[in-house]
Amino acid sequence: MDNRPQKYAVLNNKGGVGKSTIAVHIAHGLAIKGKKVLLIDMDGQNDASLFLGFTSEDYHRSLYDLLMGKSTSISDCIVKARDNLDLLPSKYIDRINGELYKEPDLSSFLQSRLSGLEHLGYQYVIVDCGPQRSKVNDAVLHFADRIIVPVQVEAASVRAIGNIYEYLSDLGLDSDRIAMVIPNMFDQRTCDGKENLNFIKEFFAGSNIVTAPILRRIKITECTELGKTVYEYDEEASKQFENLVERLASIDGR
Ligand SMILES: Nc1ncnc2c1ncn2[C@@H]1O[C@H](COP(=O)(O)OP(=O)(O)O)[C@@H](O)[C@H]1O
Ligand SMILES: [Mg+2]
């Protein structure tokens, strides 16, 4: 039996579209369903860690130590975030990025540096990525089995949808890796919102990767500011993520 975790990167070249929010809520949602999940925070702003209530005071070792050859084991860098949910935090992402310019081949870089992960019993590894192209994101895209793309239902975000395809193609990766496109912060009351959502659906017509939209909910913004997830904060808002979690849990099938 294949015991290796399913690895997902949550990525979009734009900032503020909901990558960290979605990464955290998918991760915690799966954990609540009893799946063993590791969330890797690979964005310099550390929002995913913050959204789970962790500041840099709470961890002394991080992905930086692991990737930059400091003698440490992966388990020493992981912190328990919730039942069934662990967090691998990061520091100095810019320094890691600078170092990666020296690596001749990024296609197996994370796979080999994080090989210890395969034996820790996780069913899912979710990587929260920073915006924009970077060496770190190149490495993550090679490492992940599948990609989750949040798109803010707003004109500028929608116009930029094609960028992810260009990025994958430049790395020589197949766009089949995109598992889900998640319209986020949808406001069904505005014509603009409906128009942009339709654009997303049409762009991906013929595939079934576009999920139901996540509505803009103030409770979602509030909980991330408090270092809690919606599952701990507001039952009604937590329903926004149910569908996504179900969908992922069924893709995996374990
Ligand atoms: N569906 C939503 N409804 C309301 N606020 C949201 C929603 N999704 C994300 N947010 C808020 O929008 C902001 C940006 O989200 P974030 O996940 O940090 O984006 P990114 O990681 O793409 O930069 C955060 O304050 C977050 O709480
Ligand atoms: Mg983020």
Side-chain angles (χ1 to χ4, degrees):
M1 186 182 139
D2 187 358
N3 283 324
R4 286 174 306 168
Q6 286 282 313
K7 303 191 288 286
Y8 288 91
V10 182
L11 183 110
N12 184 312
N13 297 140
K14 285 187 75 68
V17 298
K19 292 181 294 297
S20 304
T21 306
I22 286 169
V24 162
H25 285 94
I26 284 176
H28 194 199
L30 286 167
I32 290 169
K33 283 179 96 54
K35 310 282 184 183
K36 302 266 180 235
V37 186
L38 176 69
L39 178 66
I40 308 184
D41 184 346
M42 288 237 194
D43 180 22
Q45 305 224 3
N46 299 124
D47 286 336
S49 305
L50 289 167
F51 293 176
L52 284 170
F54 292 86
T55 70
S56 57
E57 309 276 287
D58 298 316
Y59 43 85
H60 301 291
R61 294 198 180 143
S62 72
L63 188 71
Y64 177 79
D65 304 286
L66 264 182
L67 298 185
M68 294 299 113
K70 310 261 189 269
S71 58
T72 184
S73 77
I74 203 161
S75 329
D76 289 338
C77 302
I78 286 172
V79 290
K80 181 175 161 63
R82 301 292 191 274
D83 284 348
N84 292 329
L85 173 59
D86 288 349
L87 169 71
L88 176 51
S90 65
K91 285 184 181 173
Y92 318 122
I93 280 283
D94 288 344
R95 283 193 218 165
I96 297 176
N97 201 53
E99 288 297 318
L100 293 190
Y101 277 93
K102 299 178 195 155
E103 290 292 325
D105 178 16
L106 286 180
S107 65
S108 56
F109 177 80
L110 283 177
Q111 195 68 40
S112 67
R113 296 295 170 99
L114 301 180
S115 59
L117 263 188
E118 308 278 330
H119 312 291
L120 295 178
Y122 295 113
Q123 288 160 290
Y124 294 85
V125 172
I126 313 285
V127 184
D128 181 35
C129 300
Q132 287 149 10
R133 288 190 182 204
S134 63
K135 287 287 171 188
V136 168
N137 279 349
D138 294 358
V140 173
L141 284 174
H142 283 290
F143 172 69
D145 303 304
R146 315 291 314 270
I147 304 160
I148 293 170
V149 183
V151 178
Q152 189 175 343
V153 187
E154 155 273 355
S157 245
V158 164
R159 273 199 306 273
I161 287 179
N163 294 355
I164 182 85
Y165 284 89
E166 204 178 294
Y167 193 1
L168 289 173
S169 152
D170 289 350
L171 292 178
L173 296 171
D174 200 318
S175 59
D176 284 0
R177 285 183 180 225
I178 301 177
M180 292 201 266
V181 171
I182 307 174
N184 187 27
M185 303 192 215
F186 177 49
D187 187 343
Q188 63 213 121
R189 293 164 307 182
T190 67
C191 293
D192 203 39
K194 285 181 200 147
E195 232 171 67
N196 287 318
L197 183 61
N198 277 338
F199 184 94
I200 298 173
K201 287 183 181 161
E202 275 164 28
F203 189 93
F204 295 100
S207 77
N208 63 350
I209 58 176
V210 181
T211 67
I214 298 180
L215 304 181
R216 187 187 282 282
R217 286 279 178 265
I218 189 68
K219 295 283 182 194
I220 297 178
T221 326
E222 280 172 13
C223 77
T224 58
E225 282 163 8
L226 295 169
K228 289 182 179 178
T229 68
V230 273
Y231 312 108
E232 299 157 334
Y233 187 64
D234 187 79
E235 204 193 330
E236 202 277 320
S238 73
K239 294 194 178 121
Q240 296 299 320
F241 298 95
E242 251 170 29
N243 178 25
L244 293 181
V245 172
E246 283 297 332
R247 193 160 161 159
L248 271 181
S250 72
I251 291 175
D252 175 87
R254 274 180 287 170

